[in-house]
Amino acid sequence: MATSKLPVLALPHPLILLPASRFTMALSKEQGEAVLALIEQSDALPVVAAVPITNSPSATTPPTFAEWGTATRILRLVRPPARNPRQPYLVSLHGLTRVHLTTPFTPQADTLLPVHEIEYPPTERIPSRDVVEKFKHSALRLLDRLAKDAVQSSRKEGYQKIASMLDDITDARAPWMADVLIGSINGEYDDKLSILSTPDSETRLTLATDIFLKQASISEVSKKIASAVDESLSKQQKEFFLRQQLAAIQRELHSLTSNSPRNAGSNNASDAPSELDDDEQHDADDLADLKRKIEAMEHGSEERKMGVREWRRLKRIPQGSVENGVIRNYLEWLTSVPWGQAGIGASPLKDKAFLTNARTQLDKDHFGLEKIKRRLIEYLAVVRLRDMNAEEQLPQVAGLKQIEGTGDKALVPYQQSPPPMLAPNAPKQSVKGPILLFVGPPGVGKTSLGQSIAKALDRPFQRISLGGVRDEAEIRGHRRTYVASGPGLIVQAMRKAGRKDFVLLLDEIDKIGQSNFHGDPGAALLEVLDPEQNHTFMDHYLNVPVDLSQVLFICTSNSLDTISGPLLDRCEVIQLSGYTYDEKMHIARRFLLPKQITANGLKEEHVTITEPALLHIATRYTREAGVRSLERAIGAVVRFKAVEWAEYIDNEVEGGQAKMITDGKLITDGMDKTYSPVVEESDLEKMLGISRWEGEEKDREEVRGVVFGLVVMGQGEGGVMPVETMMVPGTGHLKLTGSLGDVIKESSELALSWVKRHAYDLGLTNARSVDPLKTENIDIHLHLPAGATKKDGPSAGVAMTCAFVSLLTGALVPSNIAMTGEITLRGHVTPVGGIKEKVLGAHRAHITKVILPWANRKDVEHDVAPEIRNEMEFVFVRTIREALDAAFGPATLAWRRGAVMVESRL
C-alpha cells in the first residue's frame, strides 16, 4: 500500500465521513483559523485525513481515534460574520478515499492539524456477480421502503432516482454506491464505522447488504406497529359508537313493542322481549347447550359439582372479560368428555359369532402372526364372558328385590314405587385386561393390529404418538393458571372417541422423552396404564377424576431398552418378529398389490406380477423385517405400468376405442399397439433400477480359518456373517478388527483361551503347558467384515472358537453350516436371542445345517415355521466339543483319547 503524510482533522463523535459523501460541520475558532492557514498555504483545495473519534471524551477520558479515516478535500470554509463573532466556522468536506493510520494517532497540544503518516489501500478488485446482485436487491428493498415512508415528495423522488441509477450501475462501481448509500441513510454509528474500516470491496458489499436488510426490516416493523396502533384505536372508537347506537335502537324498539295495544293482552312468552334477542344469538345457543349438558350429568358426581360451580362463576363475570373466555373454554371441555356409561345395547359381544367374526377380522387385516392372534382372541373371549356374566346378574338382583318387597309376610308394607335403581356411583364391572405392548421392528403391523382389535370390538379407535413427547403436561394436561392451557392427550382422545370404552393406541412408547425440567412423561404414564389406579385418573386441566378403567390400552415399541422398568412391569410384552419371505409373498399378493393397483387408478387385469418377479423384489430390493419397503417397491412397479397404460390410452387413433385382451395386446382400429400387463423378473431393473442387494451370502467357499456365524442386523433382519481368522508372524497376541464392541471382544478372548487350554487335546501341542501360538511365533488376526457397521452382542463365541480351531488344525468347516451361541470358560454353550431372525437369515442364504445352543430348541419349535424346519438340519449342543464335532464332523479332529480333565473347585 502507498504511504503518505496528511494533516489530521478530528471528527467529533458521532460524525463519520465516508468516501463519496459530503457534509458541513462546525469548527472552533482555533480549528477554523488552522484550516484557513492551510488553505492559504495550498495552491489548490487542500486534502486532510478526516479521522472519527469513537468515544465521547470528557475531562477524565481522552479521545480515542479510529484506525481508519477518509482522505477529505476541503471544499469551502465559511467565517463567522463580524457582527456575531461567537458563531463557529463552517467547513464543507468531500470524502475521497479510505486511508489507514500506520500508527495510533495521538493529538498534539501545540498544533491543531498535526501531520500523520497514512496508507492508501490497494486498488479495489471487482466483486463477484452474486455478491453484487444480493447488494442491489437489498438496496432496492430499502430504497422502496424509504420512498413509501417519505412524507416530502422531493425526498421520495430522490430515492426513486437513486433506485433507477442503482439498476444501471456496473459491478466495479457497486462498492462506491455502497459508500454513498450508507452515508445517506440514518444508520447506526457502529455500522458506518464498520463500513469505513472495511477496505475489501466484496466484504464491504456483503456488510452493506446485511445493514440494508436490517434497516428495511426495522422500517417495515415500525410502520406496521404504527398502523396497527392507529387501526386499533379507530376500531375501538368505531365499535363504541356503534354499540351506543345499537343500544339506543333496541331501547326504542322495546318501548314501541311494550306500548303496542295489539300486544297489551298477550300472554305468549315467545312474543315477550328477551335479553338474548340480539345479533349474537349463536352465543346464547351455545350457553344453553352447555347448561343442558351440565344438567344431564349424573347427580352427585364430581364433574357435575365442578360444572355447576364454574357455571355460576361464568354468569357473574362480564362477557367481554378474559376470565369469561377461560371459564367457557373449560366448561366446553368438561361437558364434551363422555362421563356416562358407554353404549351397552350396541355392543357386538352378545353375538354368538363374536369370536368367529374377530378371527375373520384379524385374518383379513394380517397374514401370519398366529401367536399374537391367539393372545388377542383369548382377551376378547374374556371380555365376552365377563359381559355375559354381568348381564345374568342384573335380572337376579332385580328379582330378589321384588320378592323382598311383596307378599303377606313382608316385614315392610309394599308400596307401589318405581323399580329400584343401582347406586349412581356404582361402577360397571368391566374387564381390567392386560396392557398389551407390541414390540417389533418397523413395518410388521403393530399399529394396524390395534385398529383390527377396535373393529372386532366395534369400538372407536384413537391413536396417540408419544415419540418426542418430553413434557409431563402432554399426558396430564396443563393447569388452568397457564395461558392457552388445555387437557392432556388422554382426555383429548376420549373426547374424540365419544365413549369411555374406546381403544387407545399409545404409539412409539419407547421414544418418549426422558426426565427433564418439564417433568417425566414416562412416570405420568404409570398411573394411566395401571388398572388399579386409572379409574381415578386426575387431569390437571379438568381437575376432576376421569375413569380410564374401560379403555383398552395398546402400546407399541421398537425396542425395550429405553422403556423404564416400572412402566414395562405394567405391560404384557408381545414380540412381533419379522416376516418370512413366504409370508411376505402372501402379504404382497393379498394386501399390498391390490392396494397399490387401486391407489394408482388401475384394475386387477392391468397389472400381473409373476411369482419370480415378486420374490426378486422381496429378496433383492428390500431387506427389512416388515413390509413397508416392499410396499413402496410394488407401488413403483404399479406406477410404471400405470404410465404405460395411460400412454397407450392417450395414443388412440381417431374414431378407435382401445381394448385390452387376455394375450396382452391393445387393439385399436387401424393400428396395433402391444401392452403387456405381466411383469417379469427381467423387467424389474428398468422399473426399480439396479438391485440393492445381490445375495452375497450365497457366494461362499470353504477356507481355512473361516466360519459362518448368524447375526441379527439393525432392522431386525437376520443374516449370515463370516468370521475370518488369519495367522501372521508375531508373539502370540490376538488382533481384532471390524468395529467390535466390548462384549464381542471378550467373547473372542474367551474363545482363544479355551483353544489354548485344550490345545493338547486337539493335537496342537505335545504338552498341556505349551502355548500353540508361541511355539511358532505367530499372532492371530480376527476380522468381521463390514467394518462401518458396529457389532456387539453375546452370540459369537461358538463361531469364533470353531474359526480358531480351523485355523490352527487346518480342518475346514463346510460352507453350508452356520452357527450361533455364547460360551463359558469351562466350555459350556449358553442360549442366545433372536433365534427366529437368525434361522430365517440362514434359510435365505441357503444354509442347510445350523448349530444352536441346547437351551434354544424350544425357540425353534415355537417360532420357526414348519416348512423351514423341514428344509434345514438343526443341531443343538451343550458343550464346545459337541459344537466342534457338529461343525467339522465326528472323526475330523484328532482328539487325544483318554485325556483326563481335572476341574479345580475352590
Side-chain angles (χ1 to χ4, degrees):
M1 293 188 294
T3 59
S4 179
K5 290 186 178 181
L6 289 177
V8 176
L9 176 62
L11 299 180
H13 186 81
L15 293 179
I16 292 180
L17 180 63
L18 293 174
S21 299
R22 296 185 181 186
F23 70 76
T24 301
M25 59 179 271
L27 298 177
S28 63
K29 181 179 180 181
E30 293 79 12
Q31 288 179 328
E33 292 176 353
V35 172
L36 180 60
L38 182 64
I39 295 174
E40 292 175 350
Q41 294 174 5
S42 304
D43 297 333
L45 294 177
V47 177
V48 297
V51 180
I53 299 176
T54 59
N55 65 340
S56 299
S58 61
T60 58
T61 305
T64 304
F65 290 83
E67 297 181 0
W68 287 83
T70 306
T72 307
R73 177 173 282 116
I74 301 176
L75 301 179
R76 184 183 180 187
L77 181 66
V78 179
R79 298 179 180 180
R83 63 179 180 274
N84 192 3
R86 294 184 178 180
Q87 288 187 359
Y89 282 75
L90 298 178
V91 60
S92 297
L93 305 177
H94 177 215
L96 301 177
T97 183
R98 288 171 175 77
V99 293
H100 180 254
L101 305 182
T102 56
T103 58
F105 175 73
T106 303
Q108 301 177 9
D110 54 347
T111 177
L112 296 176
L113 295 176
V115 178
H116 195 81
E117 185 176 2
I118 55 95
E119 293 178 342
Y120 291 95
T123 303
E124 295 183 344
R125 59 188 179 92
I126 300 177
S128 62
R129 185 64 182 173
D130 185 33
V131 175
V132 174
E133 289 296 331
K134 291 181 180 179
F135 164 74
K136 288 184 178 181
H137 176 72
S138 62
L140 289 174
R141 177 184 172 186
L142 177 61
L143 292 172
D144 181 67
R145 172 52 55 183
L146 293 177
K148 290 181 179 179
D149 297 342
V151 180
Q152 301 177 0
S153 59
S154 59
R155 185 177 293 272
K156 182 179 297 185
E157 292 175 359
Y159 288 133
Q160 293 175 353
K161 290 180 180 180
I162 296 176
S164 61
M165 183 175 61
L166 185 63
D167 289 331
D168 302 329
I169 197 171
T170 61
D171 296 348
R173 297 286 289 171
W176 171 81
M177 179 57 74
D179 292 336
V180 172
L181 293 177
I182 291 294
S184 302
I185 64 175
N186 294 326
E188 297 180 1
Y189 178 83
D190 293 338
D191 294 338
K192 292 185 176 181
L193 186 61
S194 300
I195 289 291
L196 178 64
S197 305
T198 307
D200 183 67
S201 59
E202 189 162 326
T203 307
R204 190 161 70 252
L205 283 181
T206 304
L207 183 60
T209 301
D210 298 336
I211 294 173
F212 292 161
L213 292 176
K214 181 177 69 174
Q215 291 292 334
S217 301
I218 292 174
S219 178
E220 291 172 0
V221 173
S222 301
K223 186 67 176 179
K224 186 181 297 183
I225 292 174
S227 61
V229 171
D230 295 339
E231 182 181 356
S232 176
L233 291 177
S234 61
K235 183 178 178 181
Q236 291 179 1
Q237 295 172 356
K238 184 177 180 181
E239 182 180 0
F240 174 76
F241 288 119
L242 289 177
R243 288 190 178 277
Q244 292 295 325
Q245 294 177 2
L246 181 61
I249 293 173
Q250 289 178 350
R251 285 194 300 269
E252 292 296 329
L253 291 175
H254 176 63
S255 62
L256 290 175
T257 306
S258 60
N259 296 330
S260 175
R262 184 171 49 185
N263 296 332
S266 176
N267 294 327
N268 191 355
S270 62
D271 296 335
S274 174
E275 60 182 6
L276 300 179
D277 293 338
D278 55 6
D279 295 336
E280 299 179 352
Q281 183 63 33
H282 60 280
D283 290 336
D285 295 339
D286 293 342
L287 289 175
D289 186 47
L290 285 177
K291 184 177 180 180
R292 285 194 300 269
K293 291 181 179 179
I294 294 175
E295 292 175 347
M297 291 181 179
E298 189 176 2
H299 289 274
S301 60
E302 292 291 335
E303 59 270 13
R304 182 184 176 90
K305 294 178 182 178
M306 181 65 73
V308 171
R309 183 165 57 250
E310 294 298 325
W311 174 263
R312 292 173 179 172
R313 288 185 59 201
L314 180 67
K315 301 302 290 183
R316 292 195 300 266
I317 297 177
Q319 188 173 0
S321 66
V322 178
E323 186 67 17
N324 184 281
V326 173
I327 297 177
R328 184 166 177 175
N329 185 50
Y330 172 78
L331 287 176
E332 289 177 354
W333 272 107
L334 184 68
T335 55
S336 62
V337 175
W339 299 102
Q341 298 291 344
I344 300 176
S347 175
L349 298 175
K350 299 180 180 179
D351 190 359
K352 294 182 178 180
F354 170 71
L355 294 180
T356 304
N357 297 335
R359 286 194 185 93
T360 305
Q361 184 67 45
L362 292 175
D363 292 337
K364 178 181 177 182
D365 295 339
H366 298 84
F367 181 83
L369 305 178
E370 297 301 330
K371 292 178 61 178
I372 292 89
K373 291 179 182 178
R374 184 168 61 251
R375 181 62 186 90
L376 296 179
I377 292 297
E378 291 173 358
Y379 171 75
L380 296 178
V382 174
V383 171
R384 184 171 185 271
L385 292 176
R386 292 289 297 270
D387 187 80
M388 293 173 59
N389 294 335
E391 291 182 355
E392 292 176 358
Q393 292 176 1
L394 288 177
Q396 296 177 2
V397 174
L400 181 60
K401 291 183 178 180
Q402 290 181 2
I403 293 174
E404 292 176 353
T406 59
D408 296 335
K409 298 182 179 180
L411 298 178
V412 180
Y414 173 74
Q415 296 179 358
Q416 185 68 26
S417 61
M421 299 182 65
L422 296 178
N425 295 328
K428 178 184 175 182
Q429 291 186 355
S430 60
V431 183
K432 295 182 179 180
I435 310 298
L436 304 180
L437 174 58
F438 297 149
V439 181
V444 296
K446 301 183 295 295
T447 304
S448 57
L449 272 174
Q451 297 176 348
S452 300
I453 296 173
K455 292 179 183 178
L457 288 172
D458 194 18
R459 296 184 183 181
F461 175 78
Q462 292 295 323
R463 172 182 170 272
I464 296 177
S465 179
L466 298 177
V469 174
R470 57 184 181 84
D471 193 351
E472 179 188 359
E474 295 291 332
I475 307 298
R476 294 184 179 274
H478 297 266
R479 299 189 183 277
R480 293 169 59 189
T481 54
Y482 297 103
V483 178
S485 59
L489 296 174
I490 305 295
V491 175
Q492 293 181 26
M494 178 178 285
R495 177 188 182 182
K496 294 177 183 178
R499 288 173 56 178
K500 297 176 61 176
D501 57 347
F502 66 105
V503 178
L504 181 58
L505 180 72
L506 301 178
D507 208 4
E508 308 293 350
I509 197 174
D510 58 325
K511 300 175 181 60
I512 196 169
Q514 301 299 321
S515 177
N516 52 39
F517 64 94
H518 292 290
D520 189 357
L525 285 175
L526 296 178
E527 181 185 2
V528 176
L529 299 180
D530 193 345
E532 302 299 330
Q533 303 179 24
N534 60 10
H535 63 282
T536 56
F537 171 71
M538 185 66 71
D539 187 90
H540 288 166
Y541 180 78
L542 296 179
N543 202 21
V544 175
V546 181
D547 185 11
L548 301 179
S549 60
Q550 299 183 35
V551 179
L552 174 56
F553 291 98
I554 299 176
C555 308
T556 67
S557 170
N558 298 127
S559 173
L560 299 177
D561 299 335
T562 57
I563 303 178
S564 62
L567 186 59
L568 191 62
D569 181 64
R570 285 164 167 79
C571 303
E572 179 179 346
V573 179
I574 299 178
Q575 294 283 348
L576 279 80
S577 56
Y579 295 106
T580 65
Y581 282 108
D582 182 59
E583 292 174 339
K584 288 184 178 182
M585 294 285 288
H586 283 84
I587 293 172
R589 187 67 67 185
R590 289 177 51 184
F591 302 102
L592 304 183
L593 184 57
K595 177 182 176 181
Q596 290 298 325
I597 290 176
T598 304
N600 291 281
L602 297 177
K603 298 180 181 178
E604 293 185 1
E605 61 267 17
H606 292 163
V607 179
T608 303
I609 303 179
T610 62
E611 289 295 325
L614 196 59
L615 182 61
H616 193 78
I617 294 175
T619 56
R620 299 299 177 86
Y621 288 93
T622 63
R623 178 165 295 183
E624 58 172 353
V627 292
R628 285 178 181 166
S629 297
L630 179 60
E631 183 178 5
R632 284 191 287 266
I634 293 175
V637 173
V638 174
R639 288 192 299 271
F640 187 90
K641 301 302 292 184
V643 172
E644 289 187 352
W645 176 248
E647 289 177 350
Y648 281 119
I649 295 297
D650 294 340
N651 290 333
E652 293 180 5
V653 296
E654 185 177 357
Q657 184 177 4
K659 299 179 181 178
M660 189 188 71
I661 58 178
T662 56
D663 60 354
K665 289 186 177 181
L666 182 74
I667 301 178
T668 60
D669 297 338
M671 61 185 299
D672 291 345
K673 295 284 187 177
T674 59
Y675 168 80
S676 176
V678 180
V679 179
E680 300 288 349
E681 184 178 352
S682 58
D683 301 332
L684 294 178
E685 187 166 345
K686 66 178 180 180
M687 298 179 181
L688 301 177
I690 301 175
S691 59
R692 299 178 59 187
W693 290 276
E694 294 295 337
E696 66 276 1
E697 304 96 344
K698 300 178 183 178
D699 303 330
R700 300 185 303 271
E701 57 180 350
E702 297 181 5
V703 180
R704 178 178 179 178
V706 177
V707 174
F708 294 94
L710 300 177
V711 296
V712 178
M713 302 178 185
Q715 295 182 343
E717 185 79 7
V720 175
M721 176 174 291
V723 179
E724 302 176 351
T725 58
M726 179 180 292
M727 291 187 295
V728 295
T731 58
H733 292 87
L734 175 64
K735 183 178 182 181
L736 305 175
T737 57
S739 299
L740 307 183
D742 295 336
V743 177
I744 202 169
K745 287 180 179 179
E746 292 180 356
S747 297
S748 62
E749 296 174 357
L750 193 64
L752 184 59
S753 298
W754 189 91
V755 172
K756 289 182 178 180
R757 175 65 181 85
H758 296 81
Y760 175 78
D761 301 333
L762 292 170
L764 301 177
T765 59
N766 295 324
R768 294 187 180 276
S769 60
V770 178
D771 190 345
L773 303 185
K774 293 185 178 180
T775 55
E776 301 181 7
N777 296 326
I778 60 172
D779 288 343
I780 294 182
H781 184 179
L782 186 144
H783 175 71
L784 298 184
T789 305
K790 297 292 183 180
K791 308 174 189 67
D792 202 0
S795 62
V798 173
M800 291 180 176
T801 305
C802 293
F804 290 147
V805 172
S806 173
L807 180 66
L808 297 176
T809 61
L812 302 180
V813 177
S815 60
N816 64 331
I817 296 179
M819 60 198 71
T820 184
E822 187 56 301
I823 63 173
T824 65
L825 196 60
R826 294 186 301 167
H828 297 291
V829 178
T830 58
V832 295
I835 294 299
K836 180 180 179 181
E837 290 79 5
K838 293 177 180 179
V839 172
L840 293 180
H843 181 265
R844 183 187 64 250
H846 296 274
I847 296 292
T848 59
K849 184 177 180 180
V850 178
I851 302 175
L852 299 175
W854 175 264
N856 290 122
R857 65 190 185 280
K858 293 183 179 180
D859 298 327
V860 175
E861 296 175 0
H862 289 83
D863 296 339
V864 180
E867 58 270 16
I868 296 180
R869 294 203 305 265
N870 296 333
E871 296 179 5
M872 302 178 67
E873 178 186 358
F874 295 92
V875 180
F876 301 100
V877 296
R878 293 186 177 90
T879 62
I880 299 179
R881 179 160 184 169
E882 294 179 1
L884 294 176
D885 291 339
F888 294 97
T892 303
L893 299 178
W895 293 93
R896 295 181 185 270
R897 301 296 181 182
V900 179
M901 298 297 300
V902 179
E903 180 179 349
S904 63
R905 296 182 180 270
L906 297 180

